[in-house]
Amino acid sequence: MNRPLDPARVAEVAGRTALCLDFDGTLAPIVDDPEAAAPLEGTVELLGRLAGRFAAVALVSGRPAGWLAERAAAPGVRYLGLYGLEEVVDGRVRAAPEAEAVRPAARAALAELGSHPAVTASGAYLEDKGLSVGVHLRRVADPARWAGPVEAAAREAAARHGLRVEPGRLVWELRPASGLDKGDAVRRVVDESRAGAVVMAGDDRGDLAGFEAVEELAARGLSGLRVAVRSGESPPELLQRADLVVDGPEGLRELLDRWATP
């Protein structure tokens, strides 16, 4: 990538910068119960301040778009869920047509996994996202023991129903094999906001596609900054590809607070 955007100058060029942020592990700490995830205190108010200054502020996550909008409701913020397959527009969730076509496949995979021996024996948590299914091991007493069997079950169900598997931190997501990823979502936000610079912040393998989009946009002449939010479970490749590394959601919140100040 060309010379990255200087983090110290982001506030100066906020009006022409698109800010794309992951949710889990980035704005919100990772917790055992996925439904209990919530942004750090003060983060939602901070997002509203950022949206008033930046060309665009978008949450780009594997979570459903409506879920994101409920947990981090702030004026002016865009919510792109399921890796960009969904977005909240005028208060309503809109899904990409190609995603809606595979909703029955996601429902069938959810039902199949619900009775799979590896899932039932391990106590893995199945997250119903409507258009996709998350298989979580964070609640499991011995995740190392069950990771192999549960991943195999997820991949078998995905192959049987024409879905793709997106691995993460103790989670496998079965989602539409549309080819859309966080990189597509980042490019869309940049194009629609006509931004001349882009920042992408994330903490897991799914965010690598967003980092790649920043690299591609930088090759087109935009200024770009890839921010990795570090934890004890950070994939090494994410840290290696980042222009800037911060420690946990707390470190990112501190950085965003500096950017929200004129």
Side-chain angles (χ1 to χ4, degrees), residues 158-185:
R160 194 160 15 253
H161 298 287
L163 302 171
R164 63 184 291 189
V165 175
E166 185 77 44
R169 293 158 61 176
L170 294 180
V171 61
W172 295 268
E173 182 164 354
L174 287 70
R175 61 190 189 91
S178 64
L180 291 178
D181 56 29
K182 289 190 179 183
D184 297 294

Side-chain angles (χ1 to χ4, degrees), residues 184-210:
D184 297 294
V186 169
R187 283 184 283 268
R188 190 165 95 221
V189 171
V190 169
D191 290 344
E192 292 176 357
S193 65
R194 298 181 180 179
V198 55
V199 176
M200 170 67 196
D203 75 305
D204 207 349
R205 289 180 180 85
D207 299 304
L208 285 169

Side-chain angles (χ1 to χ4, degrees), residues 61-246:
S61 169
R63 295 280 196 170
W67 191 97
L68 292 170
E70 290 176 1
R71 300 300 174 100
V77 176
R78 295 180 64 172
Y79 303 94
L80 281 73
L82 302 184
Y83 303 87
L85 289 171
E86 291 183 340
E87 183 172 3
V88 174
V89 180
D90 297 328
R92 300 182 63 181
V93 176
R94 293 186 183 176
E98 62 268 32
E100 282 292 353
V102 300
R103 188 182 291 273
R107 313 313 298 166
L110 176 66
E112 179 179 321
L113 286 168
S115 60
H116 194 285
V119 173
T120 57
S122 66
Y125 169 66
L126 297 181
E127 183 183 5
D128 181 0
K129 300 185 180 183
L131 291 172
S132 67
V133 180
V135 188
H136 296 262
L137 283 187
R138 197 164 289 278
R139 292 180 180 176
V140 173
D142 189 358
R145 173 189 173 191
W146 291 106
V150 169
E151 179 177 7
R155 292 192 180 280
E156 290 167 8
R160 194 160 15 253
H161 298 287
L163 302 171
R164 63 184 291 189
V165 175
E166 185 77 44
R169 293 158 61 176
L170 294 180
V171 61
W172 295 268
E173 182 164 354
L174 287 70
R175 61 190 189 91
S178 64
L180 291 178
D181 56 29
K182 289 190 179 183
D184 297 294
V186 169
R187 283 184 283 268
R188 190 165 95 221
V189 171
V190 169
D191 290 344
E192 292 176 357
S193 65
R194 298 181 180 179
V198 55
V199 176
M200 170 67 196
D203 75 305
D204 207 349
R205 289 180 180 85
D207 299 304
L208 285 169
F211 279 16
E212 290 171 4
V214 173
E215 294 167 11
E216 293 171 12
L217 291 164
R220 285 167 33 185
L222 279 73
S223 300
L225 181 65
R226 300 161 296 185
V227 181
V229 182
R230 178 168 48 201
S231 74
E233 301 175 0
S234 297
E237 58 268 39
L238 186 83
L239 301 179
Q240 292 164 2
R241 296 278 291 275
D243 304 304
L244 175 67
V245 177
V246 297

